[in-house]
Amino acid sequence: MTWQDATGLLGFVVACVLVASSGAVFRPGAWYESLRKPWWRPPNWLFAPAWTALYIMIAISGWLVWRKAGFAGAAAPLAVYGVQLLLNAAWSGFFFGLRRMDLALVDVSLLWLSILALILLFAPIDATAAWLLVPYLAWVSFAAFLNLTMLRLNPAARPA
């Protein structure tokens, strides 16, 4: 690995760490604990290791595409990569910060679409990069269903 490759990988890792930090800023807290949750919701301790693994795959995926095509050669795919990072970071703010499960559901739906688009855009450039995003899409699919279910289980928590 060249110095340039290592620097690029570090950039993608830092971007994912910044996105992940939204979960540290907007924490679940007492409001979340008071909500009704479906029986099939994973335990709280599972979210941190799951997201850590996903962020590693997301960073490597973006880095692989950047390494093959560069920013100029993959401008559109890497722009979508940036959009999905922003949508990912925004979800915690909507759900835990603003306590707006409805806005979080819109956000996670857009996130799902952006991940699907990213997989389709990454596939012709680097198949491994595209496949690394499949677990992310699966997890976000589950998260969207959980978000919807919690919204339905907690009608009093909806905005007026």
Side-chain angles (χ1 to χ4, degrees), residues 121-137:
L121 291 167
F122 275 16
I125 300 168
D126 190 297
T128 302
W131 280 109
L132 281 169
L133 296 172
V134 171
Y136 181 31
L137 184 64

Side-chain angles (χ1 to χ4, degrees), residues 19-158:
V19 169
S21 69
S22 71
V25 172
F26 302 106
R27 303 193 53 84
W31 170 79
Y32 177 74
E33 292 307 320
S34 72
L35 296 173
R36 291 183 59 217
K37 298 166 197 73
W39 63 268
W40 45 265
R41 179 188 61 95
N44 289 344
W45 64 263
L46 182 63
F47 287 91
W51 275 110
T52 299
L54 291 170
Y55 282 128
I56 290 168
M57 290 187 283
I58 295 165
I60 292 170
S61 178
W63 175 71
L64 287 171
V65 167
W66 168 80
R67 221 173 122 205
K68 271 213 177 142
F71 288 118
L78 291 173
V80 173
Y81 182 90
V83 167
Q84 66 80 25
L85 286 178
L86 292 172
L87 290 167
N88 184 316
W91 185 88
S92 293
F94 288 133
F95 196 96
F96 298 120
L98 297 175
R99 300 177 180 174
R100 293 288 306 263
M101 288 186 277
D102 57 336
L103 294 178
L105 184 59
V106 171
D107 178 82
V108 76
S109 300
L110 294 172
L111 175 59
W112 190 92
L113 290 170
S114 70
I115 298 165
L116 179 61
L118 197 56
I119 291 169
L120 296 173
L121 291 167
F122 275 16
I125 300 168
D126 190 297
T128 302
W131 280 109
L132 281 169
L133 296 172
V134 171
Y136 181 31
L137 184 64
W139 183 263
V140 168
S141 299
F142 174 77
F145 184 63
L146 179 58
N147 190 151
L148 174 64
T149 302
M150 290 192 60
L151 184 62
R152 289 181 175 167
L153 287 174
N154 297 280
R158 294 182 193 165

